[in-house]
Structure formats: structure tokens, C-alpha cells
């Protein structure tokens, strides 16, 4: 077997399938050649502490001046990334007490070119009833873990052999069906893993990549509170300490919004949330106006991904969150 895409997967023929595979390959290659995850976490922890003490909460001046930059242009974005009005339909919930998910008619927000393609923000992806059902479900579940290296708590839910179970889990199934229907995940790599993060108003998440343990698409639903999500360039080991890891983009994640990132945004950028109870938006924050204040409360997020099988050639070396 040669190392080309066609060599690895000769049965894949459509451009979409090949592009999806390219995403995985890119993330994989980036991870194989990049720094050790633990070293990255330690370095980032140190930087976050330093940044906090210097009280730097806003966008870097270069970001404010230049806007989000990227290597790829958004030309040729697929229908799937732009949204499609032909696709409008309700995904009925398996549990009748929980509302259906309406596939949005409106195209999502995306950073303008020259930012890379592959980042979409769907505001009001679910309604308040759905938000309450999901938050109540999450709070009522056992099995929450307090992380050692962070203060927030997390709950992992994996798709079983047949389904995700009944009750509130049916909502996750519905959510995943909507993500498939919208083409956010390809049918070959359907969502099979949900990570629920529960943050107090002052908690965040250190900059990280979700790694090659997952198919290179992440979809995160936010509940109950807004927060500012940032992307910054992923540095190579030798660049740490010498090259500035500038913020590339900030995104305002409002309650009930869904942010999706794939491709370059998944593999070549780190994402995170600062530990700030209140932040002010600079210029170019996706989904926000300049100067807008973001006050945080308790926030629950559902991060939906496709976890690659342990013995998958791409997944076995990986470390995700
Ligand atoms: O809570 C969020 O919005 C981000 C969560 C995340 O990045 C992760 O769990 O990997
Ligand atoms: Fe993440």
C-alpha cells in the first residue's frame, strides 16, 4: 500500500470523501510532527497564568488590525458549509417529551476570506425548551469527573452498539442525526462521542487541539451562558517561546449556538476559553459587535465528535481531550 490517499483508501472515489480523508491526514501529520501534548499543556498553563497576571483579556492588536488570517481562502466553500435552504426539515426526537431539532434555514456565520474555510457558527441552533432539556439531563447524570489539570467537570457519553440510550440521551441522538443530515459529519464518520463540559463563570479551557483520536470535525453546542472561544496558531516545539502564538480568531458562543470547526481550524489551530468572568469583544469577533461585553455565568457545552476506533491507523497515536 502506498502513502497516497488513493493508495490508502482505493474505494473512496468522490471528491467529498477524498477531502474528508485529506482533513484527517492533515491533522494526523500535524500531530505526528508536532510537540508532545503534555509539554504543550504545561507551556500553555504557564502562559495563561502569566497572561492573567498581566490582565490581558482582549484581542491582540495585530488581530484587531488585520482580522482573522489564514492560509486557505474560503473560495469554493461547499454547500454543506454554507447551509442549504433545500435541507429544511425537523429532526423529530425519539423521546416525545423533547422538542425536535429544526435544521437551520439560514447560512451559518463564518469568518470572511482570507480566513480558512471550515468554521461555522449557527446561532439559535436549538430552542429554549431543548436547551433546558439538555441542561437538566446533563445535571441529572452520574459519572461526572473533576479534571486533575483543570477545575471544570466533564462527562463523557459514548454511543453504544445500538443507540445512545433513552430519555435525555435521545436528544443527543437527535442532535447527531441533525449534524449528519446537514452534512457536518460524513456518514462514514458519524458522531459517536459526546463530551459535556460544565464551567463555572470563571472557568475556561486551556488552548488545545482535539487531536487525531477523533475524526477532524468538532461540533459544540453551548447552553445557558455566552463565552468567548478563541483560536490561536499551533506552534511547533522549536517555535514555543520564540514565535508569538497570536490569537487568530475569537468567536462569541451564545447559549443555544452551535460552533463547528474542521480542517485547518481543527488541525492547525489550538482552541480554548480564557479564565475570565467578563470580557470585552475587540474587532472581528465572529458573532459579536466591537466593544460588546460578555459576562459569563454557569455554562454547559456538548462537544460532539466521531471518536476513531482504538485500532484505527489514524486514531491509535492520538491524544484528544
Ligand atoms: O466548551 C467548549 O466550548 C469547548 C470544549 C472543548 O474544546 C473540548 O472539550 O475539547
Ligand atoms: Fe476541544
Amino acid at each position: 500500500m502506498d502513502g497516497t490517499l488513493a493508495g490508502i483508501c482505493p474505494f473512496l472515489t468522490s471528491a467529498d470523501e477524498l477531502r474528508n480523508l485529506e482533513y484527517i491526514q492533515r491533522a494526523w501529520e500535524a500531530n505526528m510532527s508536532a510537540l508532545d501534548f503534555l509539554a504543550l499543556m504545561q507551556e500553555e498553563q504557564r502562559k495563561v497564568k502569566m497572561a492573567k497576571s498581566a490582565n490581558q483579556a482582549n484581542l491582540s492588536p495585530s488581530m484587531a488590525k488585520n482580522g482573522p488570517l489564514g492560509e486557505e481562502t474560503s473560495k469554493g466553500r461547499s454547500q454543506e458549509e454554507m447551509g442549504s435552504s433545500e435541507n429544511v426539515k425537523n429532526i423529530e426526537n425519539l423521546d416525545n417529551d423533547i422538542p425536535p431539532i429544526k435544521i437551520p434555514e439560514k447560512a451559518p456565520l463564518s469568518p470572511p476570506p482570507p480566513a480558512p474555510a471550515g468554521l461555522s457558527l449557527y446561532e439559535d441552533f436549538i430552542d429554549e425548551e431543548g436547551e433546558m432539556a439538555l441542561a437538566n439531563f446533563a445535571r441529572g447524570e452520574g459519572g461526572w469527573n473533576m479534571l486533575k489539570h483543570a477545575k471544570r467537570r466533564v462527562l463523557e457519553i459514548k454511543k453504544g452498539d445500538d443507540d445512545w440510550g433513552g430519555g435525555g440521551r435521545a436528544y443527543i441522538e437527535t442532535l447527531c442525526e441533525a449534524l449528519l443530515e446537514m452534512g457536518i459529519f460524513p456518514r462514514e464518520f458519524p458522531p459517536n462521542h459526546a463530551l459535556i463540559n460544565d464551567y463555572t463563570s470563571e472557568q475556561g479551557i486551556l488552548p488545545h487541539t482535539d487531536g487525531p483520536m477523533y475524526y477532524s470535525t468538532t461540533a459544540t453546542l453551548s447552553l445557558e451562558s455566552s463565552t468567548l472561544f478563541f483560536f490561536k496558531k499551533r506552534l511547533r516545539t522549536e517555535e514555543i517561546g520564540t514565535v508569538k502564538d497570536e490569537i487568530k480568531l475569537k468567536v462569541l458562543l451564545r447559549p443555544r449556538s452551535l460552533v463547528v470547526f474542521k480542517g485547518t481550524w481543527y488541525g492547525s489551530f489550538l482552541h480554548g476559553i480564557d479564565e475570565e468572568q467578563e470580557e470585552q469583544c475587540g474587532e472581528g469577533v465572529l458573532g459579536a459587535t466591537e466593544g460588546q461585553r460578555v459576562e459569563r455565568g454557569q455554562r454547559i457545552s456538548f462537544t460532539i465528535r466521531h471518536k476513531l476506533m482504538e485500532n484505527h491507523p489514524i486514531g491509535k497515536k492520538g491524544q484528544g481531550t
Side-chain angles (χ1 to χ4, degrees):
M1 185 179 78
D2 64 32
T4 64
L5 289 174
I8 293 165
C9 269
F11 53 87
L12 294 180
T13 47
S14 78
D16 257 2
E17 285 171 328
L18 283 173
R19 198 197 50 194
N20 287 329
L21 209 68
E22 267 167 24
Y23 282 159
I24 303 174
Q25 200 178 32
R26 240 188 286 159
W28 179 44
E29 282 165 3
N31 277 282
M32 293 290 287
S33 60
L35 53 149
D36 164 62
F37 190 75
L38 199 63
L40 169 73
M41 290 291 279
Q42 284 164 347
E43 177 61 21
E44 290 299 341
Q45 241 162 344
R46 193 186 61 76
K47 281 192 218 151
V48 169
K49 268 194 203 137
M50 276 175 59
K52 267 194 84 174
S53 60
N55 204 15
Q56 294 167 345
N58 289 338
L59 282 173
S60 72
S62 74
M63 166 69 190
K65 198 164 107 247
N66 301 326
L69 299 176
E71 300 86 90
E72 287 173 14
T73 70
S74 305
K75 257 194 257 151
R77 269 180 200 181
S78 66
Q79 194 63 29
E80 135 208 342
E81 283 154 339
M82 300 303 289
S84 161
S85 56
E86 282 160 24
N87 237 349
V88 183
K89 71 179 215 187
N90 285 347
I91 304 292
E92 290 303 327
N93 209 300
L94 300 172
D95 183 329
N96 290 333
D97 293 338
I98 303 176
I101 291 180
K102 194 168 176 231
I103 302 236
E105 280 174 65
K106 234 173 74 181
L109 299 176
S110 291
L119 192 144
S120 306
L121 176 66
Y122 298 85
E123 294 189 322
D124 293 311
F125 187 74
I126 58 168
D127 61 15
E128 285 181 15
E129 205 185 337
E131 177 185 29
M132 210 186 298
L134 271 180
N136 288 343
F137 154 69
R139 292 216 168 89
E141 282 291 287
W144 282 93
N145 282 312
M146 289 304 298
L147 294 177
K148 284 200 201 92
H149 61 275
K151 285 171 251 151
R152 71 184 190 282
R153 58 176 196 155
V154 298
L155 173 66
E156 192 182 20
I157 298 181
K158 293 178 200 152
K159 190 171 170 68
D161 287 341
D162 301 320
D163 56 32
W164 300 71
R169 287 174 190 238
Y171 199 103
I172 305 181
E173 180 78 50
T174 312
L175 186 59
C176 294
E177 196 44 53
L179 299 177
L180 279 172
E181 192 64 41
M182 291 164 74
I184 286 173
F185 284 86
R187 295 268 165 197
E188 312 89 282
F189 296 102
N192 61 7
H193 188 273
L195 187 73
I196 310 176
N197 281 281
D198 185 6
Y199 303 83
T200 60
S201 56
E202 71 282 2
Q203 289 172 351
I205 185 165
L206 288 165
H208 65 281
T209 157
D210 288 356
M213 202 156 78
Y214 300 97
Y215 173 72
S216 56
T217 291
T218 295
T220 298
L221 188 63
S222 294
L223 308 178
E224 299 188 335
S225 171
S226 294
T227 200
L228 273 186
F229 195 56
F230 65 77
F231 287 89
K232 54 167 70 172
K233 186 104 184 87
R234 189 172 175 194
L235 300 182
R236 296 183 178 280
T237 316
E238 63 275 16
E239 291 175 330
I240 290 184
T242 54
V243 177
K244 229 174 136 225
D245 55 348
E246 283 175 7
I247 298 275
K248 282 288 178 190
L249 180 69
K250 284 196 178 190
V251 183
L252 175 59
L253 302 183
R254 295 175 202 262
R256 301 177 295 285
S257 69
L258 180 85
V259 65
V260 176
F261 56 94
K262 48 174 83 177
T264 304
W265 291 102
Y266 186 102
S268 305
F269 292 100
L270 305 176
H271 57 272
I273 297 170
D274 281 330
E275 293 188 336
E276 298 291 344
Q277 265 184 294
E278 200 179 324
E279 287 181 277
Q280 183 155 15
C281 298
E283 194 190 339
V285 176
L286 192 67
T289 50
E290 194 178 348
Q292 188 173 339
R293 294 204 77 75
V294 180
E295 264 184 63
R296 282 194 218 160
Q298 186 92 16
R299 171 174 175 270
I300 292 183
S301 67
F302 278 64
T303 293
I304 311 285
R305 292 173 287 209
H306 173 94
K307 191 166 183 177
L308 297 161
M309 285 179 302
E310 306 273 290
N311 60 356
H312 192 287
I314 292 169
K316 72 180 174 200
K317 290 242 171 203
Q319 306 178 64
T321 51

